[in-house]
Amino acid sequence: MEKSARPRTALNECVKVVVRCRPLSEKEKNEGYDEVRKVRPEQKWYERLSTKPTPDSKTFNSPLQVVKVWAERGAVQVYNPKGQDKLFTYDAAYDCTADTQTIYDEMVRPLVASVLDGFNGCVFAYGQTGTGKTHTMEGTAEHEGIIPRAFRHIWAHIENNASPDITHLVSCSYVELYLEDVRDLLSKDCKKLTIRGQELNGFYIPEMTSVVCKSAAEMVRTMRAGNRNRAAGRTDMNEHSSRSHAVFLVTVETAHRTTNRIR
């Protein structure tokens, strides 16, 4: 069968940056923060307020606006105690009222669809400890995250395009970057791995465990098995926070018997 030597990338390849503002934690509420959503004709925004004194004053009467999110403009304004407020613009901005389903449909679903067409794709959550990365990516039993939604999306596509002439193979790998080491979270002893590079295929990790999955449920179980092997530790902001970076890789191969082609 014919197989391309170089990974495919989307024709309109680009990096999109999306910001999501999580709800206030109980600790933040107890410290005097509040949040409100305001609506004016043809304009909506979300504000996070603080009743804590500023560094240059011990008390003040009115709440101080510390964060302002314009979802429709993809903009976030942050209070700067030392000068003019900072305004940042993104490809999209979501306030705390946006659910994960909306974010998935608008920002992630097109990316997963391109992967199913044979292109490479990546969703990467970045942020300070306690900002909600795990909640957004993995979710909870009650609120499904982006990763399990992507699993269901992949298998819905496979089931909807089932044909005797088409065969799909879905495999998963899970690695962790911890203290400058790369560990295989799906191996029995979490063996250390080495990142290598090739001119044609780019960076890759040889000897990485690859688990073939036959359903979205199997992919979830594989991810949970790897999570149990992650290195966890206490931090000041979130005592249950993981101290490592994790990458869950999904490879979808589609073989067409009539054309003898794999993508």
Side-chain angles (χ1 to χ4, degrees), residues 220-232:
V220 171
R221 287 195 292 270
T222 300
M223 181 176 67
R224 289 175 178 172
N227 285 340
R228 289 192 289 269
N229 290 328
R230 289 194 66 185

Side-chain angles (χ1 to χ4, degrees), residues 53-57 64-66 78-86:
T54 59
D56 55 351
S57 65
L64 176 68
Q65 179 192 98
V66 292
V78 181
Y79 166 70
N80 179 14
K82 297 183 179 180
Q84 187 175 2
D85 292 353
K86 302 291 185 179

Side-chain angles (χ1 to χ4, degrees), residues 24-25 29 49 72 74 87 118-119 146 148 151 160 173 211 223:
L24 288 171
S25 65
K29 292 178 181 178
L49 309 173
E72 296 177 353
L87 181 65
F119 298 96
I146 284 175
F151 294 165
N160 292 336
S173 300
V211 177
M223 181 176 67

Side-chain angles (χ1 to χ4, degrees), residues 105-141:
D105 289 339
E106 295 180 358
M107 305 307 304
V108 183
R109 184 176 294 278
L111 179 66
V112 176
S114 70
V115 170
L116 295 170
D117 284 336
F119 298 96
N120 292 330
C122 175
V123 180
F124 183 79
Y126 176 83
Q128 187 177 350
T129 297
T131 52
K133 300 183 297 297
T134 301
H135 176 82
T136 295
M137 297 300 287
E138 297 183 21
T140 63

Side-chain angles (χ1 to χ4, degrees), residues 17-219:
V17 181
V18 179
V19 64
R20 183 184 195 183
C21 186
R22 63 158 172 76
L24 288 171
S25 65
E26 290 301 320
K27 179 182 178 182
E28 290 164 337
K29 292 178 181 178
N30 294 334
E31 289 178 347
Y33 290 96
D34 195 7
E35 51 195 354
V36 62
R37 201 160 193 247
K38 295 185 177 181
V39 179
R40 289 181 181 174
E42 300 181 357
Q43 191 176 26
K44 300 177 183 178
W45 70 88
Y46 159 88
E47 290 183 359
R48 182 157 292 180
L49 309 173
S50 173
T51 56
K52 296 176 66 176
T54 59
D56 55 351
S57 65
K58 295 182 179 180
T59 60
F60 57 87
N61 296 324
S62 59
L64 176 68
Q65 179 192 98
V66 292
V67 176
K68 190 173 184 179
V69 180
W70 287 280
E72 296 177 353
R73 295 169 51 185
V76 177
Q77 180 176 312
V78 181
Y79 166 70
N80 179 14
K82 297 183 179 180
Q84 187 175 2
D85 292 353
K86 302 291 185 179
L87 181 65
F88 304 92
T89 56
Y90 304 88
D91 292 286
Y94 295 91
D95 61 38
C96 66
T97 63
D99 56 21
T100 305
Q101 182 65 56
T102 299
I103 297 173
Y104 185 87
D105 289 339
E106 295 180 358
M107 305 307 304
V108 183
R109 184 176 294 278
L111 179 66
V112 176
S114 70
V115 170
L116 295 170
D117 284 336
F119 298 96
N120 292 330
C122 175
V123 180
F124 183 79
Y126 176 83
Q128 187 177 350
T129 297
T131 52
K133 300 183 297 297
T134 301
H135 176 82
T136 295
M137 297 300 287
E138 297 183 21
T140 63
E142 296 79 19
H143 303 284
E144 200 173 47
I146 284 175
I147 295 176
R149 291 176 193 272
F151 294 165
R152 290 195 293 105
H153 183 175
I154 290 170
W155 283 100
H157 171 85
I158 292 174
E159 293 169 1
N160 292 336
N161 293 273
S163 168
D165 296 326
I166 300 177
T167 302
H168 295 90
L169 178 66
V170 179
S171 57
C172 300
S173 300
Y174 203 0
V175 297
E176 173 193 57
L177 282 71
Y178 182 66
L179 298 179
E180 299 184 0
D181 290 327
V182 181
R183 302 197 309 152
D184 189 341
L185 293 177
L186 298 183
S187 65
K188 292 182 179 180
D189 55 354
C190 293
K191 62 182 179 182
K192 291 184 180 180
L193 302 170
T194 302
I195 299 177
R196 302 189 183 278
Q198 286 184 344
E199 183 177 354
L200 284 177
N201 296 323
F203 292 100
Y204 69 101
I205 305 176
E207 301 181 359
M208 178 175 58
T209 301
S210 181
V211 177
V212 175
C213 297
K214 298 182 179 180
S215 67
E218 285 190 16
M219 296 174 77

